[in-house]
Amino acid sequence: MRAQGTALFSLIRNIGSSIGISLVQTLLVRNTVIAHASLTERITYSNPAWNNPAVARAYDLSTSGGAALLDSSVTQQAAMMAYINDFWLMLFLTLAVTPLLLLIRPPGKHDPSEQLDAEIQGVMD
């Protein structure tokens, strides 16, 4: 009976962790897209950073390499923002679940020989 309970507990734990990983991954991709859109709408030539010759040369939008480099930088920043948001979510979920630890009782003290006798009796039946 104990092996079946352990298997069921393990199954539920694995399914729960798979759902959690899927949700976090979905939020990561979604937040990356949202942050990327938010950052790209603020890229304009009226920004004083374009007056710096090194920046203007590296991120020259008239060349495909400069546009790709700019997009890569924006995507990297957007991904970082999304990871930070995901870690905040995991922090708040952990803090919300922490009081449930008070509901966990320590296991009762029992004699191992009694358990062995019960298992032997279960096999004999």
Side-chain angles (χ1 to χ4, degrees):
M1 189 71 154
R2 183 178 207 145
Q4 294 159 345
T6 302
L8 184 63
F9 176 75
S10 181
L11 174 70
I12 291 171
R13 184 174 51 98
N14 285 335
I15 290 173
S17 67
S18 296
I19 291 171
I21 290 169
S22 298
L23 286 174
V24 169
Q25 182 66 25
T26 301
L27 287 173
L28 177 69
V29 171
R30 181 177 178 269
N31 288 337
T32 300
V33 170
I34 291 170
H36 191 278
S38 176
L39 290 172
T40 53
E41 71 185 16
R42 290 178 172 79
I43 297 174
T44 62
Y45 279 116
S46 63
N47 190 334
W50 291 108
N51 296 334
N52 184 343
V55 172
R57 204 170 332 124
Y59 297 115
D60 185 11
L61 297 180
S62 63
T63 65
S64 61
L69 183 61
L70 181 61
D71 182 58
S72 173
S73 296
V74 170
T75 302
Q76 186 178 20
Q77 291 298 315
M80 187 65 200
M81 292 168 64
Y83 274 109
I84 290 170
N85 289 340
D86 276 4
F87 277 104
W88 277 111
L89 171 71
M90 288 188 280
L91 169 73
F92 290 137
L93 288 176
T94 302
L95 290 177
V97 174
T98 301
L100 294 176
L101 292 174
L102 298 174
L103 299 176
I104 298 175
R105 293 181 302 181
K109 306 247 190 258
H110 63 279
D111 188 17
S113 63
E114 291 176 11
Q115 180 182 358
L116 183 62
D117 291 341
E119 288 177 6
I120 291 173
Q121 190 65 19
V123 170
M124 298 297 257
D125 291 337

